[in-house]
Each structure stands twice: as structure tokens, then as C-alpha cells.
Amino acid sequence: MTVAEPHSCRDMDAAVSDEGVALVYRPRYREYGIRICESALGMVRQCRVGPVDEAIRMMEILDCPWCGDALPGSVRDQWRDLIFNKYEVKSLWSETETFDQVPAKMLDETWWREVEIGFTNTDSNLTFDQVSDEIVNSCRSTPKGLEKPLGRSPHHCEAMMASLEDCRELTQYRPWTREYGIRIIDMNRSVHLQYNHRIKPIRYCPWCGDALPQSLRLEWEARVRDLGLDPDVPCTPYPEGLPDDLISDTWWREAGNKIAAPLP
Ligand SMILES: [Zn+2]
Ligand SMILES: [Zn+2]
């Protein structure tokens, strides 16, 4: 068997190397994920709790959000199997203790390259219809930095809906531009205090691999400019100072087929 290499494409490489994008790659487990904050309520702490390969809370993703390719898959089960059975570690509660008992190669990607673990991602056959009018919202009473816009997500596989409905997960759907994205955050401040939301837009669902509806950003910006307004305003999480129908999906749902990029 040949080893399954980590995924590489322009956007993924850029996201992984940019600490501000709430997406991480953990070489030890060959896992990609979207960060999860520590708590849903006021006591949200800074997202990062250690170096990238340590105890970061994240939701594993299975498909590249930018090119749609299946990711190689996590080797965490195999890692745990070796840790518990071969190296006879009793508990993972104390990472320091654990790390004293295992060879250094278990702490990075060396071990799975040696063992040559192929693809473990078997989740490429999920399909979902996209006719949803399901409302994404459960985050309105949360701190402003974690609040997500209220809207009917056109893509609504179970994993995406669960992620959008959890305010701690740094994913976002923007009904006014029909964009999905991963939050860009300032790693030196608590996320719940970051009111001006910025996102790195994604093109494919990170969990089922389906293409997401095409972004309507250009059309939206044109409409905002037609009113003599600037589309480049803070999103907190809604764009500030714009009329109601341009901070929701009303404008493009009403325009229906007249919009250049219809729902898939
Ligand atoms: Zn990719
Ligand atoms: Zn999906």
C-alpha cells in the first residue's frame, strides 16, 4: 500500500498556512478540521489552546472546501491503537505523560508515513438534496462575536446544518450573498469579542463534498452600489447600514430566475 499524502491545492495550502483562517491540519492524525471555540456562552476563551498539533478543538472535515476532493482521512484510530496497545499508555488525559512513553515519531506524521496508511476517508458517497428552506439559527442569544446570520441555507446536509447551528463552530452562511465560509479570526483575542466577522468563502461542503450554490457576491455588490452605498462595510454579523432586503436573501429569492447564477 502507498501512503495517502495530505491534500494540497492552492486554497487549502493557503488556509492551512494562515493562522487566522479557522481551519487546521494536524499532521499527527492527518486530520483537517474547522475550529470550535471553547464554550457557547460568555466565557468563550481564545480559540487556540496550544500549538497547532496539540489539543485544538475542531470538527473534522472530509472533503476539501475549495476543490471538492476527498481528503485522505484521519489516522487517529490507528494512532490510538498503537498508543494503547503497543506502547501501553493507560490514559491520554495527561499529554505530557503520554509523550514521555512514546517515541518522538508518534508525535508528528513520521509514524503514519512509516506504516504507509492509505486513504481512510470512506465518506464520499453521501448525497443530499438541496431544496431546503431550513432556517439556520440557534445562535442569536450568544455573544456578538459568535452570532451567525439568520437565513435559509440552500445546502443542508446534516453535517453542514449541525455546524451552522452551533455558534462555537467557526463556519458561517451569509444569506445576502449566498456564501458559505470559514471565519477569519484574530488569534490574539477572544473570538466572542470579534464583532466584525470576516470569512474565507468555500465552494464545496466540507462534509458531503457537494458543490455549494454559486456565490452572488458580485450581483449583491452591484445592487448596493446602485443605491450609492458601499458594499465594503463591517458585518456584525449583518452588513451595517444597508437596507433590510440587502442584508437577507430576499433580493435574490424574489429575483428568482432573473439572477445569473440560479440555485443548483
Ligand atoms: Zn483542495
Ligand atoms: Zn453537505
Side-chain angles (χ1 to χ4, degrees), residues 128 155 157 160 205 207-210:
F128 297 89
H155 178 81
C157 75
M160 175 65 92
C205 175
W207 296 285
C208 71
D210 277 4

Side-chain angles (χ1 to χ4, degrees), residues 7-12 64-69 71:
H7 177 74
S8 176
C9 69
R10 195 192 58 181
D11 281 307
M12 179 63 101
C64 175
W66 294 284
C67 71
D69 281 2
L71 299 172

Side-chain angles (χ1 to χ4, degrees), residues 149-164:
L150 176 66
R152 293 182 284 159
S153 169
H155 178 81
H156 69 295
C157 75
E158 223 172 289
M160 175 65 92
M161 292 308 282
S163 180
L164 292 176

Side-chain angles (χ1 to χ4, degrees), residues 4-5 52 58 91 111 116-117 119 121 140-142 153 157 180 187 200 203 212 223-224 229 243 245 256:
E5 291 293 326
V52 162
M58 65 178 211
S91 153
W111 74 272
E116 295 194 349
I117 306 180
F119 274 72
N121 185 354
R140 299 180 93 189
S141 58
T142 56
S153 169
C157 75
Y180 294 78
M187 293 300 296
K200 180 175 170 69
R203 293 187 287 273
L212 297 168
R223 282 170 191 245
V224 173
L229 298 167
D245 64 328

